Structure formats: structure tokens, C-alpha cells
Amino acid sequence: MNIRAWIVFLDTSGVSLLPQIRRTYAPRGRTPLLRHRLNWKRASMAGALGYHSTDPDRGARLCFHLKPGSYDTAALIEVLEQMKVFYRGERVVLVWDGLSAHWSRAMRAWAAEQDWLTLERLPSYAPELNPVELLWSSLKKRELANLAGDHLADVADATEQGIHRINNNPELPWSFLAHTGLTIHPPHPPNLRKDQ
């Protein structure tokens, strides 16, 4: 049975004004120095990678949200409301982890009223099954690496550049999924053609 829907993996992560220290290149004898203000201001990111269940030609879709502070149930419902607009009229199977805000009473009540949305839970302690974890890794190793910004807007700008980089490379979101070992589109048996 084929259900025409988007399989969407969602995850949240945090960033702060403290730089993500990564190895870098420098002239011999000149150790690079990062100067920052020990500012603990934090922002939270929500990323959702969607893959169509029956039509891989529709490509992967990336939704992104950034906010100061952290996510609670109300903020996540706002993210899902934006996702509803993003997927206009499409069915979505949302796959996410067991964070308490994902499965709170208020979230379950809200989700029960949504005819476009089905919630599925990843197994406990299995972040390696969520392709969005690889999205975070990609951002933190490139655009956010060694970034010593003065304001959260600096982090937001760098993150937005990274999201554009990932969106402009149609193979990258599929590589994130492939790295998890999960498949959305099972291979067709050799005796059946795709158009049957």
C-alpha cells in the first residue's frame, strides 16, 4: 500500500555566541586566535527535512526556524503551523524524537485536530536515525565553525547562509538520509518496472 505523503524528520538544536571551535588552517607559526566576549546568549533552531513517500523526483524539502531562547510546546506548535503552510494541502508524517515538548498533552491535543499531520516517534537514544542531525553537523562544521559573533544576528546570518548552501545542493539532503541507513523509496524488484 502506497500512502502519498511527505515523510518529514524534525529536530531542534541550540547555538550560542560562544564559538564552535574547529580545526582550521593558518600560516606556520601563527596559531589562530578566537576573540569573543564569553556571551552565553542562546538561540534555538528547528529543522525539518521532508522526502516524498512515493515520488523521489519531487526532491527533498527543507524547513528552518530560528528563535532566541529555547523551544517549548507552544513554540513548536508555531513551527508546525508554519510547516502546515509550507506543505499546503499535502499529508505529512512527522518523525521526531521523544523530547517532552514533542509529546506533551498540549501537543497531542493540537495534533489530534490536524487532519494533514501524523506523528511518529524515533526510537529512544537513536539520533543517528534522524537526517536533521547531519544538517546540524554540516552547519556547525562550516558556517558556524569558529564564528565569534557579537550578536545573535551574526549567528542567524551565518546559519541562513548554511541553509541556502544546503538548499542549493539537491543531493545533500538525500546524502543526510542515506547516512542514516533509512530509505523512503524501496528499490523495485527487477521483474517489476517502475511504471507498473
Side-chain angles (χ1 to χ4, degrees):
M1 176 170 88
N2 283 340
I3 298 173
R4 289 173 130 358
W6 286 89
I7 310 301
V8 178
F9 295 87
L10 189 139
D11 191 41
T12 57
S13 184
V15 290
S16 74
L17 290 180
L18 295 177
Q20 303 274 331
I21 308 296
R22 297 290 185 258
R23 286 184 130 171
T24 188
Y25 296 98
R28 184 176 293 224
R30 292 189 182 162
T31 303
L33 298 175
L34 283 176
R35 299 188 192 283
H36 59 89
R37 300 178 183 204
L38 285 177
N39 191 327
W40 292 96
K41 284 187 180 174
R42 293 188 56 79
S44 295
M45 308 179 287
L49 274 172
Y51 307 91
H52 198 271
S53 63
T54 59
D55 188 0
D57 295 331
R58 292 184 73 177
R61 297 183 80 183
L62 172 60
C63 299
F64 181 77
H65 187 267
L66 179 75
K67 72 178 279 319
S70 58
Y71 284 102
D72 59 8
T73 299
L76 284 171
I77 288 173
E78 283 180 33
V79 170
L80 294 177
E81 290 284 0
Q82 290 177 9
M83 220 169 84
K84 181 179 182 177
V85 172
F86 187 75
Y87 283 102
R88 279 186 197 99
E90 303 261 13
R91 296 219 18 89
V92 170
V93 176
L94 184 68
V95 183
W96 57 5
D97 59 27
L99 184 70
S100 60
H102 295 173
W103 300 99
S104 69
R105 205 175 276 154
M107 178 63 76
R108 287 189 314 242
W110 178 85
E113 297 173 357
Q114 308 302 312
D115 61 349
W116 63 280
L117 183 66
T118 303
L119 299 180
E120 293 293 336
R121 187 177 187 155
L122 283 167
S124 297
Y125 307 109
E128 69 278 2
L129 295 178
N130 193 335
V132 182
E133 295 285 355
L134 294 146
L135 173 113
W136 300 145
S137 177
S138 179
L139 287 174
K140 290 177 180 182
K141 287 179 180 172
R142 299 257 321 248
E143 286 77 14
L144 298 176
N146 302 319
L147 176 67
D150 291 326
H151 307 283
L152 281 176
D154 300 330
V155 174
D157 291 344
T159 303
E160 188 174 322
Q161 289 172 3
I163 293 299
H164 287 303
R165 171 181 59 86
I166 292 165
N167 264 334
N168 290 334
N169 182 344
E171 288 84 29
L172 205 49
W174 289 103
S175 72
F176 296 157
L177 180 66
H179 189 77
T180 67
L182 300 174
T183 57
I184 301 292
H185 311 102
H188 297 282
N191 59 347
L192 292 176
R193 291 195 341 240
K194 185 177 179 180
D195 57 350
Q196 289 182 334

